[in-house]
Amino acid sequence: MTKLSWGLVGGGAGSQIGPAHRLGAAVDGEFAFVAGALDHRAEEGRFYGRSLGLAPDRAYGDWREMLAGETGRADRVDLVTVATPNATHFEITKAFLEAGFHVLCEKPMTMTVEEGEEIVRIARATGKLCAVNYGYTGYALVRHMRAMVARGDLGRIRLVVAEFAHGHHADAADADNPRVRWRYDPAQAGVSAQFADCGIHAMHMASFVTGQEVETLSADTVSCIESRVLEDDAMVNFRMSGGAVGRLWTSSVAIGRQHGLSLQVFGEKGGLRWAQEQPNQLYWMPLGGRLEVIERGAGGLSPEADRASRVTVGHAEGMPLAFANIYRDMAEAIRAEKDGRAMDPAADLYPRAEDGLRSMAAVFAVAASGKAAGQWTDARPPMFRD
């Protein structure tokens, strides 16, 4: 099987997210890393690209140079990943989509709802894949939760409880730390800090697992460290399109919490509980039954979970492999397009531009509701309200 060609924008030396993308793209042998514009400093980016094995003519100085260089090649990249600072996502994603490239964009996809709607329209008009890296949906047991809900194991879903809380920004003495400060600065982060950074992962996962979209929400947002302009803690109540009620807590000042992403789903016939820090176990309680622990990699799971597992039961499987499942999904989608066939339904799970747009609309709704003392607010993008 010939590998697909992959290019990366951002994710240079010292990047937190770059190695996870390179590992994720490489795990299954679906993609060859052939092009990159890895740093906003041109020479550092070229040097780092060459150190990773890129040919000198495909280790670019910036994304515009990469766009021009790849557009003119017969062997141009099949997929471009955008892993740059948040405020640049829209411009870069838009340019590569319009040039006919498939794109995987880090979250948030855009900084405004209007930009998000434009990306959705461009992706639909060009017919190109535009995915957003809500990478935690790549975990095998998250996908098994989705399959259990879809096949009716839980009955009608009543309640969803999502959390993404950590304590890594709890020290007020870090107020001038540049790695922390920008997250709470509206000029750099936009209208929201903690919810936009972490809360939207939890909210997207709630929609991914239940198959329902968030329609309205009420938010209580607070800056526990008073010098911060944007929130470091939020509690969000929401209502979903299929009738489910949602509760979401996200925080960056919860001392003692590390990563803190978890999801609980409660239906008429049972409940599920999963935590990202213990990703190999899914807790299932059928109504009137006994608590069961479902192990990742065990026999008898859903096709979606089986396809997303790579190591045998009992062994750790973590975030880079969750990212790898997003890349594997996209490889299947690209190959299906090339071959003129339908893609494997168990792979048709990667988050779309529409998901990125819904998340941005939720960010603005949370910010507005928080300022209005929790007033219930429409969380849908305008283009999805009809």
Side-chain angles (χ1 to χ4, degrees):
M1 178 179 67
T2 303
K3 290 186 178 183
L4 299 169
S5 297
W6 174 61
L8 176 62
V9 181
S15 165
Q16 181 180 10
I17 204 69
H21 277 288
R22 294 197 302 275
L23 286 168
V27 162
D28 295 299
E30 296 277 10
F31 290 99
F33 179 34
V34 299
L38 305 180
D39 200 299
H40 67 281
R41 300 162 298 179
E43 288 309 313
E44 285 83 349
R46 292 189 182 99
F47 177 81
Y48 189 57
R50 293 193 297 270
S51 75
L52 294 175
L54 297 182
D57 65 331
R58 300 183 87 173
Y60 298 102
D62 60 45
W63 69 266
R64 291 181 177 85
E65 183 181 306
M66 177 173 165
L67 176 63
E70 292 299 310
T71 299
R73 297 183 68 103
D75 61 345
R76 68 191 219 162
V77 292
D78 295 292
L79 175 67
V80 175
T81 292
V82 179
T84 55
N86 295 355
T88 66
H89 290 178
F90 168 71
E91 180 183 22
I92 300 171
T93 297
K94 178 177 183 288
F96 277 96
L97 283 174
E98 289 179 333
F101 293 89
H102 300 301
V103 177
L104 170 58
C105 182
E106 261 301 330
K107 50 70 59 178
M109 182 177 74
T110 61
M111 295 295 285
T112 69
V113 176
E114 292 76 16
E115 289 175 348
E117 291 190 333
E118 186 172 352
I119 292 296
V120 168
R121 292 190 183 99
I122 292 169
R124 291 176 176 179
T126 61
K128 294 303 170 183
L129 306 179
C130 182
V132 184
N133 190 42
Y134 292 109
Y136 303 112
T137 61
Y139 278 100
L141 290 181
V142 172
R143 295 185 169 200
H144 188 61
M145 292 175 79
R146 176 188 172 104
M148 290 180 69
V149 169
R151 71 192 185 196
D153 292 5
L154 283 74
R156 181 177 64 86
I157 302 304
R158 294 169 170 165
L159 175 65
V160 182
V161 179
E163 293 186 0
F164 199 154
H166 65 83
H168 300 302
H169 300 162
D171 189 350
D174 272 342
D176 291 324
N177 181 341
R179 294 178 64 88
V180 175
R181 184 180 60 227
W182 75 268
R183 298 176 184 274
Y184 303 94
D185 177 4
Q188 299 181 72
V191 299
S192 171
Q194 179 60 19
F195 183 79
D197 188 28
C198 295
I200 57 172
H201 275 295
M203 185 169 281
H204 175 263
M205 187 175 287
S207 291
F208 178 82
V209 169
T210 64
Q212 301 184 34
E213 301 298 343
V214 176
E215 293 192 331
T216 59
L217 60 79
S218 169
D220 180 19
T221 60
V222 64
S223 298
C224 292
I225 294 179
E226 296 177 356
S227 62
R228 290 173 175 164
V229 177
L230 299 176
E231 88 287 349
D232 51 25
D233 188 277
M235 179 66 75
V236 183
N237 295 314
F238 55 92
R239 300 289 189 271
M240 306 187 81
S241 56
V245 174
R247 316 293 190 203
L248 187 155
W249 172 51
T250 185
S251 183
S252 65
V253 295
I255 297 173
R257 297 288 291 265
Q258 294 301 322
H259 196 261
L261 174 60
S262 65
L263 185 69
Q264 300 176 80
V265 182
F266 304 102
E268 296 172 311
K269 299 192 295 186
L272 292 167
R273 174 168 53 91
W274 179 85
Q276 191 263 339
E277 291 180 41
Q278 294 83 37
N280 276 8
Q281 287 79 40
L282 171 63
Y283 295 88
W284 161 235
M285 182 71 181
L287 180 66
R290 295 181 177 179
L291 181 65
E292 301 176 18
V293 180
I294 298 172
E295 292 281 348
R296 186 213 51 77
L301 300 187
S302 61
E304 294 87 343
D306 289 342
R307 188 178 187 277
S309 293
R310 292 175 182 76
V311 296
T312 54
V313 64
H315 293 83
E317 188 169 297
M319 185 263 281
L321 291 185
F323 278 32
N325 284 326
I326 304 296
Y327 278 98
R328 195 179 182 198
D329 292 346
M330 296 206 70
E332 168 61 12
I334 294 169
R335 293 188 190 281
E337 180 198 55
K338 288 176 177 284
D339 298 341
R341 59 172 175 80
M343 69 180 296
D344 180 353
D348 194 8
L349 298 175
Y350 63 91
R352 267 67 165 182
E354 288 81 356
D355 297 297
L357 169 58
R358 289 185 187 277
S359 293
M360 188 47 56
V363 166
F364 276 82
V366 165
S369 178
K371 290 180 179 178
Q375 179 178 318
W376 281 90
T377 303
D378 196 329
R380 298 170 300 170
M383 71 183 297
F384 293 160
R385 293 181 185 179
D386 296 332

